[in-house]
Amino acid sequence: MISLSSKTAKILYAIFACAILYIVWDNVWGITALLGWQSSLLNRFIRDILVVLAGFILIATVIKPREIFSFLGLNGNIAKGFGIAFLCVLPLYAVFPFFGSFNADTTLSLILRKSILPGFVEEFMFRAFMFGLLFRYAKTGFFWAVILPALVFGSGHLYQGHDIISSLAAFGVTFLGAIYFSWMYVEWNFNLWVPVGLHILMNGAWVIFTMAGTEVAAGGLISNIVRVISIHLAIFITVWYKKRSDTKIFKYPVWQF
């Protein structure tokens, strides 16, 4: 473990570590290809394990081993995290069956590949690791800490568009989603299972039900309306909980670099 004293050094390490983990995330498929693993689920599982391991190694470089789980938010209450997420995404599961239909191709393998594994790994990478290093370790303000992970997360979904407009729509939706997940992560005391639960359950609705727009992250008219309702519900629940606990939202620097 190395100890960096200056804020500048911490920011530079955070950016460096984010770049390294992104490179691992973007190229680790080559390892499974070389090993000859053909199963798409196995490929996904091995890729995710390698990304998480790389993340732990990079975090252990600057965070004490006994504090790593706490720093990443993995020691949060899982039941509470998924319970909060479930309440927030209820509108999706209440509305989608009426305006769409059940996806007959839904399998456990599909749910694992499209919902559970990406929901966990992307939150580990973009929230706990990238945002965490900039916000919790380097102590930058919320805006500055969230902008890099949000840009990377959004750009990672550009491929879902078939033209410039649809690609930008996919980028915009996922960029805003990254900000939303980061805010929920902070406001629920860095319990990573809150954004993980939100991500998994939102993805799950896109997988389990078939309706206009659910084949891509950008969504369709109805799916986006319901998604906005879900986000507003999450904000309402969070603000209500904070008032009930006699605490305030945004009790941390936002614009300060």
Side-chain angles (χ1 to χ4, degrees):
M1 175 187 165
I2 60 175
S3 179
L4 301 176
S5 56
S6 74
K7 184 169 184 175
T8 301
K10 290 181 177 181
I11 292 174
L12 290 174
Y13 179 77
I15 295 173
F16 167 78
C18 290
I20 293 298
L21 190 62
Y22 180 79
I23 291 171
V24 172
W25 181 68
D26 198 40
N27 293 280
V28 77
W29 283 113
I31 296 175
T32 57
L34 287 174
L35 293 174
W37 289 322
Q38 300 301 317
S39 167
S40 59
L41 178 58
L42 181 59
N43 280 340
R44 179 85 208 202
F45 186 67
I46 297 300
R47 173 197 179 185
D48 291 347
I49 287 178
L50 292 174
V51 169
V52 170
L53 285 176
F56 269 98
I57 292 170
L58 289 165
I59 288 292
T61 304
V62 292
I63 301 295
K64 295 178 181 178
R66 65 175 180 272
E67 298 175 358
I68 291 176
F69 267 69
S70 174
F71 177 82
L72 293 170
L74 292 169
N75 65 335
N77 188 312
I78 297 178
K80 181 178 181 179
F82 273 86
I84 294 164
F86 176 74
L87 290 175
C88 296
V89 302
L90 270 178
L92 277 69
Y93 289 87
V95 173
F96 279 20
F98 290 97
F99 289 90
S101 60
F102 179 76
N103 182 5
D105 296 326
T106 299
T107 61
L108 178 59
S109 175
L110 183 65
I111 293 173
L112 283 168
R113 286 189 293 110
K114 298 292 187 178
S115 175
I116 296 175
L117 291 178
F120 172 75
V121 174
E122 289 178 9
E123 289 310 307
F124 172 88
M125 178 175 170
F126 295 104
R127 233 63 57 206
F129 185 88
M130 290 188 175
F131 174 78
L133 276 175
L134 290 163
F135 187 75
R136 306 189 73 185
Y137 174 68
K139 306 296 183 184
T140 62
F142 180 86
F143 172 80
W144 300 105
V146 79
I147 196 72
L148 175 62
L151 285 171
V152 176
F153 187 64
S155 62
H157 292 79
L158 284 170
Y159 73 94
Q160 293 188 359
H162 57 273
D163 54 31
I164 294 177
I165 299 300
S166 57
S167 293
L168 288 176
F171 172 84
V173 168
T174 48
F175 178 87
L176 293 174
I179 298 174
Y180 164 57
F181 289 143
S182 298
W183 183 76
M184 290 291 286
Y185 179 46
V186 175
E187 295 296 349
W188 289 96
N189 300 317
F190 301 102
N191 182 347
L192 186 62
W193 303 109
V194 173
V196 165
L198 288 169
H199 203 144
I200 288 175
L201 293 173
M202 281 186 169
N203 280 11
W206 256 242
V207 172
I208 295 171
F209 300 103
T210 300
M211 58 184 296
T214 55
E215 68 277 3
V216 293
L221 177 61
I222 299 298
S223 59
N224 278 325
I225 289 173
V226 181
R227 181 155 49 183
V228 169
I229 292 172
S230 175
I231 292 172
H232 277 81
L233 178 60
I235 294 172
F236 171 80
I237 291 173
T238 302
V239 173
W240 172 81
Y241 179 81
K242 289 288 185 177
K243 287 184 177 180
R244 188 168 176 266
S245 305
D246 199 26
T247 55
K248 296 180 179 180
I249 61 173
F250 292 113
K251 287 187 64 178
Y252 42 84
V254 175
W255 303 107
Q256 177 184 330
F257 188 75

